[in-house]
Amino acid sequence: MQKAPRFILILGLLGMAASVFNYFNGQIDWYINLLSLIGSLGLVVAYYQTNKSLAEKKD
């Protein structure tokens, strides 16, 4: 595997966008929105950490 699958990054970014939209729309509770934002941010961080780890392993 050369890089992490890009759909992980896309899924994380879409989740963060949905969290921001729901925050301003106000249809769900704030703590559920916060959990969604943290989970989505975790996907984005995992994507970049995996790519960094694979690049270091390759060298």
Side-chain angles (χ1 to χ4, degrees):
M1 179 170 23
Q2 301 287 338
K3 293 177 106 178
R6 189 171 294 270
F7 76 89
I8 294 173
L9 177 64
I10 293 169
L11 190 63
L13 291 174
L14 285 175
M16 283 195 291
S19 294
V20 170
F21 175 76
N22 285 334
Y23 176 75
F24 290 112
N25 203 14
Q27 290 187 0
I28 60 173
D29 294 331
W30 66 270
Y31 54 89
I32 299 298
N33 198 24
L34 182 63
L35 288 174
S36 174
L37 184 66
I38 291 170
S40 299
L41 185 61
L43 284 174
V44 173
V45 169
Y47 174 79
Y48 285 113
Q49 284 294 102
T50 303
N51 281 342
K52 182 180 174 185
S53 173
L54 288 172
E56 288 175 357
K57 191 181 238 185
K58 188 176 180 184
D59 292 337

